[in-house]
Amino acid sequence: MLLRCCLRLMIRARISNEAKKLCVIRVISKSPYLQAPTAFTGSIGARQILAVRSWLALSPHITVVLFSQDPSVFSFAGSFDSRVLVDTDIDFTFLGTPFFHSVVAKSRSYNSDITVLVDPQTIILSGLICTLNYAYELDQDWLLLASPRNVSYFPLHMDESGKHWQIDNTEWMDIQELQETLKQSCHWNRCDERMLMAWNRKDLPLHNGVLPPFLYGKGIHNNWVIHEAMSSRFRFVFDASWTIASFHMNNQDSSNPEIGSSTASDVENRRWEYVGNSYLGALYGSLFYRDNNCSSLVKLLKCDDLHIFLDTKENKVYTFAQQGAPSFRKGKILHSWGKRNIWSCIRDMTSLDRTLDCSLHNQMKLSAPLELPFSLESLLPVIADKNKTIVLAVAGYSYKDMLMSWVCRLRHLLVTNFIVCALDQETYQFSVLQGVPVFKDPLAPNDISFNDCHFGTKCFQRVTKVKSRIVLKILKLGYNVLLSDVDIYWFKNPLPLLCSFGSAVLAAQSDEYNKQGAINLPRRLNSGFYYAHSDGSTIAAMDKVVRHAATSGLSEQPSFYDTLCGENGSYRIGDNRCVEPKTNLTVYFLDRNLFPNGAYLDLWQEKNVRAACLKKGCFIIHNNWISGRLKKLERQVLSGLWEYDPSTRMCLPSWHKNKSRS
């Protein structure tokens, strides 16, 4: 299977008047889909390696940082010592695609004056450092873009030293000569998402409003940001394509699949990722309602070592002194002393521009539904761990933020074998856009999307019965299941402990609140957190629970206890177990010091809930024994056991959490 490796580059540069300039190049990458080839293999890998080496050759003071979860990226970076580093601290989807808004947010955490993003298969020959130096001196907050020239063939490679371009193993080629040769056989496309973007001042937003959760490298987002930046007028936006010599090898296997294409499978082309970006581009901002024409941007040119700005709309040329320069809008119009030479230079340079006006409206017209090409049956082998174990959550739209806090926590703990059962279409689409492995339950109750399905309501009773039914279905498909409600905070991964109980044992949380005495008393089995092994005894017992719940007017929780422990606890063994006689299933009630419920020891009332729980060695804590969704939400947020920012739709980054907890 062909791996479409979607690396991206982010350059952080502190530009000064010193002789040695510092540029830090940052690349964002995705992990492979299933057991696909590693990111730096095959023809795509070769092009990426060549691009990285071209960046490093720009200056000995450049460092490349790869944002990735792929082990092969660590291996690749290791061969360059400290000049190529790896960082995993951004948001990724369950298939490893990075989020663009997370990339931009992470760039603000670094101590740098300039941030640059560029496609990883783009070779940069020259002009980048000089352009950034010039832009840094402008008395403006700015955003620049530069489109690489598309070439079908790049004839050179780097020598072993990484300093010289060669036609073969012996002949060196002059950079200027190479650039001129390539320019004659290339073209630009302003709608191409491979454009380089750079901006100064990390504390100033690029545009007004929220940056949507675009998937990085999956279309729309670069053009969306440029359009919103131009509309917001926070920054001077200009095109530096003529001063940066960059080339992208335009090969068919690296191009983006068309949204409406059916030439390859959804899994290989990942078409739904482009659909999601198109959906977000139409939903947020004004790009969908206004035409976006990048060719009308002010252009930065360099003629006879003089940087100039060309405004084609106003038919004016501007230039600036490097020190004490006025703002762009007060710039100096060139007069007759330089007009002839400058305009001759402009004509020569822009004659190579074969830019066509483009519109993104067609890309933002959804020709496919916003959904994953996965059923539950096809999703399980993608998600399950090596022991065929799945962590399952079931959620409706009113709990979407708590669901994402739960997801973010599991991601932080590197627990990746989780899936979400969406009770409604709103939750399903929300989860798709958040990169969550999700499937729809076709038998879920109707009209629950915006209900407050808290404990005791009729909605709650209907929804809980979905959980046991889905668990039974997954068990019958041969997978073990850890069912976890989304109002459960995980301090550490409990799966190694829970898996150790073995077959024919269902390990469940106790809902008993008394500090002393038996924890398996009548109806004290909490059906919001339990581990079930896929074996005959467990499947038969769960089938009895599901059938009992289907005829009950209560939630599923009493059905668990009455079926597995007997009415009034007639199947109890000791203080922490039950044995169902017909299936011979043992129910083990988990130690409450390790798996406390919401009423045990008043842990939620502690001044520092996290410290109190960690002192006891807690694996999890359940945010139950409280009435109402809003009260539950407030308690969890105020306790600091919260991992998600709904305003940005991002997991709270580690640098933010560490600061808030210090």
Side-chain angles (χ1 to χ4, degrees), residues 10 22 132 144 170 191 277-278 338 375 382 393 433 447 516 574 584 631 645 659:
M10 180 168 64
L22 169 65
L132 294 180
L144 74 80
T170 58
C191 279
N277 275 12
S278 297
S375 63
V382 175
L433 293 175
D447 303 324
Q516 304 295 329
N584 201 34
K631 290 182 179 179
D645 183 356
K659 182 178 179 180

mmCIF file of all heavy atoms in Angstrom, residues 10 22 132 144 170 191 277-278 338 375 382 393 433 447 516 574 584 631 645 659:
data_model
loop_
_atom_site.group_PDB
_atom_site.id
_atom_site.type_symbol
_atom_site.label_atom_id
_atom_site.label_comp_id
_atom_site.label_asym_id
_atom_site.label_seq_id
_atom_site.Cartn_x
_atom_site.Cartn_y
_atom_site.Cartn_z
ATOM 1 N N MET A 10 8.132 23.864 9.316
ATOM 2 C CA MET A 10 7.919 25.144 9.983
ATOM 3 C C MET A 10 9.266 25.704 10.376
ATOM 4 O O MET A 10 10.010 25.085 11.122
ATOM 5 C CB MET A 10 7.038 24.968 11.217
ATOM 6 C CG MET A 10 6.770 26.268 11.947
ATOM 7 S SD MET A 10 5.472 26.074 13.165
ATOM 8 C CE MET A 10 6.243 24.924 14.279
ATOM 9 N N LEU A 22 20.258 32.954 12.703
ATOM 10 C CA LEU A 22 19.754 31.684 13.223
ATOM 11 C C LEU A 22 18.414 31.388 12.578
ATOM 12 O O LEU A 22 17.506 32.201 12.629
ATOM 13 C CB LEU A 22 19.582 31.749 14.745
ATOM 14 C CG LEU A 22 18.819 30.583 15.383
ATOM 15 C CD1 LEU A 22 19.594 29.294 15.202
ATOM 16 C CD2 LEU A 22 18.552 30.853 16.850
ATOM 17 N N LEU A 132 13.925 36.672 4.502
ATOM 18 C CA LEU A 132 13.525 36.802 5.898
ATOM 19 C C LEU A 132 14.255 37.955 6.575
ATOM 20 O O LEU A 132 13.675 38.672 7.402
ATOM 21 C CB LEU A 132 13.793 35.499 6.651
ATOM 22 C CG LEU A 132 12.960 34.282 6.229
ATOM 23 C CD1 LEU A 132 13.341 33.072 7.068
ATOM 24 C CD2 LEU A 132 11.479 34.554 6.328
ATOM 25 N N LEU A 144 3.865 36.618 4.870
ATOM 26 C CA LEU A 144 4.280 36.434 3.479
ATOM 27 C C LEU A 144 3.950 35.024 3.025
ATOM 28 O O LEU A 144 3.883 34.088 3.828
ATOM 29 C CB LEU A 144 5.765 36.741 3.279
ATOM 30 C CG LEU A 144 6.860 35.781 3.768
ATOM 31 C CD1 LEU A 144 7.069 34.607 2.825
ATOM 32 C CD2 LEU A 144 8.167 36.522 3.943
ATOM 33 N N THR A 170 30.579 13.584 -9.806
ATOM 34 C CA THR A 170 31.790 14.389 -9.942
ATOM 35 C C THR A 170 31.517 15.851 -10.287
ATOM 36 O O THR A 170 32.233 16.735 -9.847
ATOM 37 C CB THR A 170 32.702 13.789 -11.025
ATOM 38 O OG1 THR A 170 31.985 13.730 -12.269
ATOM 39 C CG2 THR A 170 33.141 12.386 -10.633
ATOM 40 N N CYS A 191 -3.294 28.341 -6.169
ATOM 41 C CA CYS A 191 -4.253 27.582 -5.360
ATOM 42 C C CYS A 191 -3.597 26.350 -4.743
ATOM 43 O O CYS A 191 -4.240 25.613 -3.994
ATOM 44 C CB CYS A 191 -5.452 27.156 -6.206
ATOM 45 S SG CYS A 191 -6.673 28.461 -6.415
ATOM 46 N N ASN A 277 -11.729 19.301 5.754
ATOM 47 C CA ASN A 277 -11.169 20.651 5.587
ATOM 48 C C ASN A 277 -12.075 21.536 4.742
ATOM 49 O O ASN A 277 -12.228 22.734 5.008
ATOM 50 C CB ASN A 277 -9.778 20.573 4.968
ATOM 51 C CG ASN A 277 -8.687 20.346 6.000
ATOM 52 O OD1 ASN A 277 -8.961 20.021 7.150
ATOM 53 N ND2 ASN A 277 -7.451 20.512 5.590
ATOM 54 N N SER A 278 -12.683 20.969 3.715
ATOM 55 C CA SER A 278 -13.611 21.736 2.888
ATOM 56 C C SER A 278 -14.818 22.167 3.708
ATOM 57 O O SER A 278 -15.301 23.301 3.578
ATOM 58 C CB SER A 278 -14.060 20.900 1.687
ATOM 59 O OG SER A 278 -12.970 20.588 0.858
ATOM 60 N N GLY A 338 14.718 55.961 -11.301
ATOM 61 C CA GLY A 338 14.895 54.512 -11.327
ATOM 62 C C GLY A 338 13.803 53.781 -12.058
ATOM 63 O O GLY A 338 13.832 52.551 -12.150
ATOM 64 N N SER A 375 -16.809 0.938 9.128
ATOM 65 C CA SER A 375 -17.839 0.394 10.002
ATOM 66 C C SER A 375 -17.160 -0.008 11.310
ATOM 67 O O SER A 375 -15.930 0.031 11.423
ATOM 68 C CB SER A 375 -18.490 -0.829 9.352
ATOM 69 O OG SER A 375 -17.504 -1.857 9.177
ATOM 70 N N VAL A 382 -8.059 -1.823 13.016
ATOM 71 C CA VAL A 382 -7.195 -0.649 12.891
ATOM 72 C C VAL A 382 -6.788 -0.134 14.261
ATOM 73 O O VAL A 382 -5.656 0.311 14.476
ATOM 74 C CB VAL A 382 -7.914 0.462 12.100
ATOM 75 C CG1 VAL A 382 -7.076 1.740 12.057
ATOM 76 C CG2 VAL A 382 -8.243 -0.005 10.690
ATOM 77 N N ALA A 393 -15.867 4.181 24.483
ATOM 78 C CA ALA A 393 -16.663 5.232 25.109
ATOM 79 C C ALA A 393 -17.915 5.438 24.273
ATOM 80 O O ALA A 393 -17.891 5.290 23.046
ATOM 81 C CB ALA A 393 -15.877 6.533 25.214
ATOM 82 N N LEU A 433 -14.233 15.444 12.754
ATOM 83 C CA LEU A 433 -13.434 16.656 12.620
ATOM 84 C C LEU A 433 -12.353 16.761 13.680
ATOM 85 O O LEU A 433 -11.364 17.472 13.499
ATOM 86 C CB LEU A 433 -14.338 17.888 12.686
ATOM 87 C CG LEU A 433 -15.301 18.070 11.513
ATOM 88 C CD1 LEU A 433 -16.226 19.254 11.753
ATOM 89 C CD2 LEU A 433 -14.543 18.263 10.200
ATOM 90 N N ASP A 447 -33.555 11.618 19.064
ATOM 91 C CA ASP A 447 -33.835 12.878 19.765
ATOM 92 C C ASP A 447 -33.104 12.989 21.097
ATOM 93 O O ASP A 447 -33.676 13.424 22.100
ATOM 94 C CB ASP A 447 -35.340 13.047 19.997
ATOM 95 C CG ASP A 447 -36.126 12.995 18.701
ATOM 96 O OD1 ASP A 447 -35.605 13.493 17.690
ATOM 97 O OD2 ASP A 447 -37.248 12.454 18.708
ATOM 98 N N GLN A 516 -15.983 1.649 54.914
ATOM 99 C CA GLN A 516 -15.717 0.316 55.444
ATOM 100 C C GLN A 516 -16.799 -0.653 54.978
ATOM 101 O O GLN A 516 -17.896 -0.250 54.608
ATOM 102 C CB GLN A 516 -15.669 0.349 56.978
ATOM 103 C CG GLN A 516 -14.666 1.330 57.569
ATOM 104 C CD GLN A 516 -13.233 0.973 57.240
ATOM 105 O OE1 GLN A 516 -12.904 -0.203 57.089
ATOM 106 N NE2 GLN A 516 -12.364 1.974 57.128
ATOM 107 N N GLY A 574 -17.722 -13.488 49.300
ATOM 108 C CA GLY A 574 -16.885 -12.591 50.086
ATOM 109 C C GLY A 574 -17.355 -11.157 49.970
ATOM 110 O O GLY A 574 -18.539 -10.865 49.744
ATOM 111 N N ASN A 584 -20.735 -19.242 34.922
ATOM 112 C CA ASN A 584 -19.506 -19.357 35.712
ATOM 113 C C ASN A 584 -18.597 -18.140 35.532
ATOM 114 O O ASN A 584 -17.374 -18.241 35.629
ATOM 115 C CB ASN A 584 -18.740 -20.638 35.350
ATOM 116 C CG ASN A 584 -17.783 -21.045 36.466
ATOM 117 O OD1 ASN A 584 -18.061 -20.841 37.647
ATOM 118 N ND2 ASN A 584 -16.650 -21.627 36.088
ATOM 119 N N LYS A 631 -23.090 20.664 36.599
ATOM 120 C CA LYS A 631 -22.382 20.567 37.873
ATOM 121 C C LYS A 631 -21.191 19.611 37.749
ATOM 122 O O LYS A 631 -20.123 19.851 38.314
ATOM 123 C CB LYS A 631 -23.330 20.096 38.971
ATOM 124 C CG LYS A 631 -24.382 21.119 39.372
ATOM 125 C CD LYS A 631 -25.249 20.594 40.507
ATOM 126 C CE LYS A 631 -26.289 21.628 40.925
ATOM 127 N NZ LYS A 631 -27.161 21.115 42.018
ATOM 128 N N ASP A 645 -9.604 22.317 25.336
ATOM 129 C CA ASP A 645 -10.024 23.706 25.218
ATOM 130 C C ASP A 645 -11.102 23.800 24.138
ATOM 131 O O ASP A 645 -10.800 23.749 22.945
ATOM 132 C CB ASP A 645 -8.833 24.590 24.844
ATOM 133 C CG ASP A 645 -9.194 26.062 24.777
ATOM 134 O OD1 ASP A 645 -10.384 26.394 24.953
ATOM 135 O OD2 ASP A 645 -8.286 26.887 24.553
ATOM 136 N N LYS A 659 2.233 25.191 33.089
ATOM 137 C CA LYS A 659 2.221 26.550 33.611
ATOM 138 C C LYS A 659 1.061 26.753 34.570
ATOM 139 O O LYS A 659 1.202 27.369 35.625
ATOM 140 C CB LYS A 659 2.134 27.537 32.447
ATOM 141 C CG LYS A 659 2.159 29.000 32.871
ATOM 142 C CD LYS A 659 2.119 29.911 31.654
ATOM 143 C CE LYS A 659 2.131 31.372 32.065
ATOM 144 N NZ LYS A 659 2.091 32.270 30.895
#
